[in-house]
């Protein structure tokens, strides 16, 4: 197998990987740093996806003079996290976010401003206007600037490589990873590895994630002995199903009071609202909260859309009809100009025709357990960004994922550089043999089936029967030799087991059979690999 040698391997080229690579090389220029990116650097990952009107990054600058500060930010995270956000990580995020964003500004990121003053907006789960944007391309802009700096510093970038697994040396320390470029395996030997592979929306039939987000980072970290936390919590929200584009239904669209109908032309929202709660009130709440969460009564809208589909009253695309033809083109251009234009370009004029929308998986709150420096507890292994867990809890304030990539990308990059500098020799390994069985037609069918069954049972509505169905499905295929299928089964198992164990509803986790939040469940679920290879769960 071809071997490439370096000191630090960063896996992933989103906002977290870019920041970690930049900081590692800046701190220790003598180290050889390689970034391995599935897809293109600057065009892969959620960071670079333009699927929403505005992509916010939170920092409590108080530019809008509404009394924001790090203490208020910290409290928002803890409240929205519903008791499951890590206080230590949240404190760091609250205290260091302004500094990290100031550094981005100094490097050339130009945030949206009015009359020379940066604008901040209030997103869901935030009590203050805290989010800075570059329209819908905030993440792309951050990576553009970091990429330029990374190249100047001399970080090497390997694109179009899929890292498949970590390699451990004679002393049990991580000493690199094996990846696949085309049909060629490559071993990248390193003193330390930072996993920054983002989320795993692609394991669900309906999602707004780019192709490369299949959760490889979680699987390799789990196999290497890292622990995962809060895996049952991830964000799901409404997005456009027809026309066929990847674009979320931005919160403010609900202020237009859309008419929601199923395939039989029935308006259905009323049916899901308990006595005393009007559909119009639910829409007002939805306008303040994009993701599904049991935190607010906006949840009835998400549940309604999801149930109409799963109970067979959805459209062929898996959605329901969303109709704002009662709103004039002028008003649409005034209130929702970007959504209007994007849909128009895709062939749908919102002023004249209805579109189809449905529930999609957007991003993950849980992931690899890290300490305050991105260390995973497995020697030589660090992680940053959406692939990590702990800072977000059961739910998170909108705008917190991007700032997480910068604050903890910074810390993980520096910590792994210090670690790599302190090591005299790379852990040795006898022989790199990687058993890669090629994917078969049956494997492909299993993957397709898993995407359907995971979407149906692991997303908006969960219950014991559905979760047990998922686990039975996984058991019937467990042990398949191909690593891609193995990963899909493992990921389903991690989520289903945690969701089954949590017999309550909290944040983004809704158990139809346990609809109330139970204070006794203010505990986090940790998952690690048991001796038999199955996920073993513990409470923290
Ligand atoms: C539609 C949408 C809207 C969002 N809106 C917001 C918002 O307003 N505010 C906010 O804070 N967050 C938002 N988020 C979430 C946020 O964008 C992400 O959490 C964040 O960008 C993740 O950054 P990351 O660097 O951790 O991962 P990503 O940007 O996803 O990057 C992951 C990288 O890892 C690579 N990779 C994956 N697997 C492998 C492998 N096996 N080998 C090599 N490379 C691999 C990918 O190709 C990619 O380069 C949104 C997400 C979506 C999808």
């Amino acid at each position: 197998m071809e071997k490439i040698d370096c000191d630090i391997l960063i896996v992933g080229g989103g906002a977290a990987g870019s920041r970690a690579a930049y900081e590692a090389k800046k701190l220790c220029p003598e180290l050889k740093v390689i970034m391995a990116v599935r897809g293109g650097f600057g065009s892969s990952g959620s960071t670079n996806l333009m699927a929403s009107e505005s992509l916010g990054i939170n920092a409590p600058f108080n530019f809008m003079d509404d009394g924001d500060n790090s203490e208020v930010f910290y409290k928002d995270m803890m409240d929205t996290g519903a008791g499951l956000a890590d206080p230590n990580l949240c404190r760091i995020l609250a205290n260091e976010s302004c500094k990290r964003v100031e550094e981005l500004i100094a490097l050339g990121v130009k945030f949206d401003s009015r009359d020379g003053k940066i604008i901040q907006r209030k997103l869901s789960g935030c009590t203050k206007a805290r989010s800075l944007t570059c329209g819908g391309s905030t993440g792309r802009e951050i990576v553009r600037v970091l990429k330029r700096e990374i190249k100047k510093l001399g970080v090497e970038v390997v694109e179009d490589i899929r890292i498949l697994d970590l390699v451990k040396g004679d002393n049990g320390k991580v000493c690199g990873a094996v990846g696949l470029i085309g049909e060629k395996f490559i071993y990248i030997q390193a003193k330390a590895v930072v996993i920054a592979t983002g989320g795993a929306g692609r394991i669900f039939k309906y999602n707004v994630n780019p192709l490369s987000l299949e959760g490889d980072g979680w699987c390799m970290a789990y196999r290497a002995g890292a622990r995962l936390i809060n895996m049952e919590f991830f964000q799901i929200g409404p997005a456009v199903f027809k026309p066929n584009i990847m674009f979320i239904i931005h919160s403010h669209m609900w202020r237009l009071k859309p008419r929601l109908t199923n395939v039989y032309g029935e308006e259905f929202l009323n049916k899901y609202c308990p006595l005393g709660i009007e559909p119009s009130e639910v829409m007002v709440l939805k306008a303040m909260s994009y993701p599904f969460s049991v935190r607010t009564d906006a949840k009835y809208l998400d549940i309604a859309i999801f149930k109409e589909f799963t109970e067979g009253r959805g459209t062929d695309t898996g959605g329901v009809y969303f109709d704002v033809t009662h709103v004039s083109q002028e008003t649409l251009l005034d209130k929702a100009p970007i959504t209007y234009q994007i849909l128009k370009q895709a062939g749908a004029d919102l002023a004249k025709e209805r579109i189809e929308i449905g529930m999609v998986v957007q991003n993950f709150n849980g992931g690899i357990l890290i300490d305050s420096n991105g260390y995973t507890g497995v020697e030589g292994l660090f992680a940053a960004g959406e692939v990590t867990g702990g800072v977000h809890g059961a739910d998170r304030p909108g705008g917190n994922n991007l700032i997480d990539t910068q604050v903890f990308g910074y810390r993980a990059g520096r910590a792994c550089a210090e670690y790599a500098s302190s090591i005299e020799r790379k852990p040795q390994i006898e022989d790199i043999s990687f058993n890669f069985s090629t994917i078969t037609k049956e494997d492909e069918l299993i993957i397709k089936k898993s995407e359907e069954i995971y979407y149906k049972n692991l997303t908006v509505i969960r219950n014991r029967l559905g979760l047990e169905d998922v686990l039975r499905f996984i058991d019937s295929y467990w042990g398949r030799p191909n690593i891609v299928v193995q990963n899909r089964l493992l990921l389903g198992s991690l989520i289903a087991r945690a969701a089954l164990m949590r017999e309550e509803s909290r944040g983004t986790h809704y158990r139809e059979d346990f609809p109330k939040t139970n204070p006794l469940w203010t505990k986090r679920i940790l998952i690690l690999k048991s001796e038999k290879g199955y996920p073993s769960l513990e409470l923290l």
Side-chain angles (χ1 to χ4, degrees), residues 158-175:
V158 181
E159 293 179 297
D160 295 319
I161 181 169
R162 182 172 187 179
I163 297 295
L164 296 169
D165 222 349
L166 296 165
V167 177
K168 278 182 157 183
D170 50 4
N171 47 13
K173 295 178 186 173
V174 167
C175 61

Side-chain angles (χ1 to χ4, degrees), residues 11-17 36-40 44-49 51-52 54-57 123 161-164 196-199 208-209 212-213 216 220 248 362-363 384-387 396 398-403 405:
V11 187
V37 183
R38 184 171 173 198
S44 58
S46 285
T47 307
N48 291 298
L49 186 74
S52 80
S54 66
L55 204 63
I57 180 166
L123 300 185
I161 181 169
R162 182 172 187 179
I163 297 295
L164 296 169
T197 48
V208 263
N209 273 186
S212 61
L213 299 191
D216 292 353
M220 56 183 108
I248 63 174
Q362 189 209 39
N363 72 274
E386 194 179 321
V387 77
R396 60 145 178 112
N400 264 30
N401 268 80
L402 272 181
I403 194 60
T405 66

